[in-house]
Amino acid sequence: MDFTSRTQDIAPEDVAPDMHDLAAQVRNLMHLQRGAPLKLPLGGSFFDIVVTAAGPAAYAAVRLMDEVQHIRGARPDAPACGPVIEDPDRDWLIWFVPPGTHAVWEPHPYAMCLGAPNELVLPAMAHTEPPGSFWLRPCRGDRLVPRWPLRDALDKFRPAPTPHERVLADILCTTS
C-alpha cells in the first residue's frame, strides 16, 4: 500500500470547538511526562483544589486519608491518598478534589477550596521531594481526594493557619 501526503486547509469553523482545548491538554500532559512543570485549569473535568497549612496536623490528615482510600489487598503501609502537592516555600498542602467541589464547599476554618477560573502549576511527576513544590502523594489516574472525608479529617486535625483567599489569588494564575 502506498501512502501519499497531501495538504488540506481546514477552516477554523469546521473544527470542533472543544478540540483546541483537548489538544492543548494532551500537549501539556506530554510535557509533564517529560519531567517539566505543567499549568492546568481548575474545575471543568479535571479537579478543584483544597489548600491547607502543612505541618503535623496536615500530615495526620494525609495519613487518615491513606486509611480512607486504602485499596483492599495493598500493603497496609502503602500511600493510598489521592494526589497532594506540598509547597514547602509557602508551608501549604494542595489536595486534588473532584471537579465541582468548589461549588459545594462551605467556608471552612482550616481550608480554602478553589476551582475555575484559576489554574495551578503542577510539579513534574517525578518531583517527589524538595526543593520547591513536590508530590507528597502522587497523581494517579484512578483517584482524587474525596471531599467529604477530607473535610472531616480537616475538622479533626485542624491544620493552621488557613491560607487566605487573597494570598492564594496572588499565587495562582487566573484564566481569562
Side-chain angles (χ1 to χ4, degrees):
M1 193 174 269
D2 190 19
F3 292 98
T4 58
S5 76
R6 65 184 169 152
T7 304
Q8 181 177 3
D9 291 326
I10 300 173
E13 62 272 8
D14 292 336
V15 177
D18 60 348
M19 288 307 291
H20 172 72
D21 291 341
L22 175 63
Q25 297 313 322
V26 168
R27 281 191 300 276
N28 283 338
L29 291 172
M30 291 171 61
H31 195 63
L32 183 64
Q33 286 294 344
R34 286 192 297 265
L38 162 70
K39 187 184 340 180
L40 277 181
L42 300 179
S45 58
F46 292 111
F47 53 86
D48 286 349
I49 60 171
V50 170
V51 182
T52 66
Y59 302 137
V62 171
R63 288 189 299 276
L64 180 59
M65 294 309 299
D66 281 337
E67 292 175 22
V68 167
Q69 293 191 270
H70 179 75
I71 301 166
R72 189 180 308 242
R75 287 187 357 243
D77 62 337
C81 180
V84 180
I85 293 174
E86 183 166 354
D87 182 342
D89 296 334
R90 295 180 183 90
D91 205 26
W92 291 345
L93 293 187
I94 301 168
W95 307 74
F96 288 54
V97 294
T101 297
H102 180 255
V104 297
W105 187 270
E106 296 289 328
H108 193 278
Y110 305 104
M112 295 286 311
C113 186
L114 297 169
N118 299 295
E119 293 181 329
L120 177 67
V121 176
L122 306 179
M125 295 303 287
H127 197 103
T128 57
E129 57 187 40
S133 296
F134 63 95
W135 293 98
L136 181 64
R137 292 295 182 264
C139 186
R140 297 181 288 236
D142 66 339
R143 72 189 59 221
L144 293 169
V145 178
R147 59 183 162 230
W148 304 128
L150 173 61
R151 191 174 178 92
D152 292 344
L154 298 176
D155 285 338
K156 179 178 181 176
F157 294 108
R158 302 176 179 177
T162 304
H164 189 273
E165 188 171 1
R166 198 170 103 206
V167 173
L168 286 174
D170 291 342
I171 303 299
L172 295 172
C173 299
T174 313
T175 59
S176 52

